Amino acid sequence: MLSIIQAAGWPIWPIIFASIVAVAIIGERLWNLRSSKVCPRDLLPKVLHEHRRGGISADMMSRLQEHSPLGRILVAGLRNIDSSREIMKESIEEAGREVAHGLDRYLTTLGTIASLSPLMGLFGTLVGMIEIFGSNSPTGNNPAQLAHGISIALYNAAFGILVAIPSMIFYRHFRAKVDALVLEMELQALKLVEVVHGERKI
């Protein structure tokens, strides 16, 4: 591997750095965008059960706030449980926007890496082409310099694409995952509002 990096020349280092950042973001998002962590399905039934038993205590609201993103949205509604349906919904929507922004964390960076990696590979290819042309001289070609220029051009192009493809795949996957989680949390919060205001039983 070290010999490949040496053959690819200095333009490979930005691509390697981008690949490390991409892997870190992918791992972090895979862990933190789990449905069980963001929007646990058993949370709303527990909250409604406590509400029917005699109300939500301040201690439970505090634990709910720290429990999950869905918990933070539900707390925003529960704090306005004595207000009108519209006020309760507005507070939930405000908390939902904040939570949705948090779920998008690092995705812009991952999308940027997916877009820029082929360009960094192209830049390395151009550096390699310059090296190739530099191998020509009036006295003839320098075979070592010519081979080095070719390796720079090919390795950088390949590595740029190699980093871009999984980055783009995971970027699109996480975008779809966030949209699905936000929709699920909206439905759960709407159910809370309707149950609290007596518009549905569960």
Side-chain angles (χ1 to χ4, degrees):
M1 187 64 181
L2 183 60
S3 61
I4 292 175
I5 293 173
Q6 289 174 339
W10 65 265
I12 198 68
W13 288 108
I15 300 175
I16 292 174
F17 176 74
S19 70
I20 294 170
V21 174
V23 168
I25 291 173
I26 289 168
E28 190 273 343
R29 290 290 82 189
L30 282 172
W31 180 256
N32 287 308
L33 289 181
R34 291 170 296 149
S35 297
S36 60
K37 183 178 176 67
V38 177
C39 187
R41 292 187 176 274
D42 62 338
L43 185 60
L44 181 60
K46 287 180 181 177
V47 171
L48 293 176
H49 178 69
E50 288 295 323
H51 172 66
R52 291 193 184 98
R53 285 183 59 188
I56 307 295
S57 65
D59 180 58
M60 183 179 177
M61 292 245 287
S62 177
R63 283 186 281 111
L64 200 58
Q65 179 80 22
E66 302 298 325
H67 183 273
S68 62
L70 175 60
R72 292 198 290 275
I73 292 175
L74 296 180
V75 165
L78 293 170
R79 283 179 178 154
N80 294 277
I81 200 168
D82 296 324
S83 303
S84 66
R85 187 181 194 275
E86 288 70 28
I87 296 296
M88 195 173 175
K89 280 189 69 176
E90 284 178 11
S91 63
I92 285 173
E93 287 170 0
E94 289 173 4
R97 283 193 290 270
E98 183 180 346
V99 166
H101 179 72
L103 295 180
D104 280 335
R105 189 180 182 190
Y106 304 133
L107 292 190
T108 300
T109 303
L110 186 60
T112 301
I113 289 172
S115 300
L116 286 184
S117 293
L119 296 178
M120 289 191 285
L122 178 60
F123 174 73
T125 301
L126 294 176
V127 171
M129 296 297 290
I130 293 170
E131 186 95 4
I132 291 170
F133 286 120
S135 68
N136 296 322
S137 67
T139 59
N141 293 331
N142 183 338
Q145 189 175 354
L146 178 63
H148 185 58
I150 292 172
S151 66
I152 290 175
L154 295 180
Y155 279 129
N156 279 278
F159 272 94
I161 295 171
L162 189 64
V163 172
I165 291 174
S167 297
M168 181 58 72
I169 290 171
F170 277 102
Y171 171 75
R172 292 188 179 276
H173 167 72
F174 290 140
R175 290 295 321 156
K177 180 78 171 178
V178 167
D179 291 343
L181 289 170
V182 169
L183 176 61
E184 178 65 23
M185 287 189 290
E186 286 176 359
L187 294 175
Q188 298 272 10
L190 180 60
K191 187 182 290 187
L192 172 70
V193 174
E194 292 175 346
V195 170
V196 165
H197 286 275
E199 297 173 10
R200 65 187 290 179
K201 291 183 179 180
I202 190 167

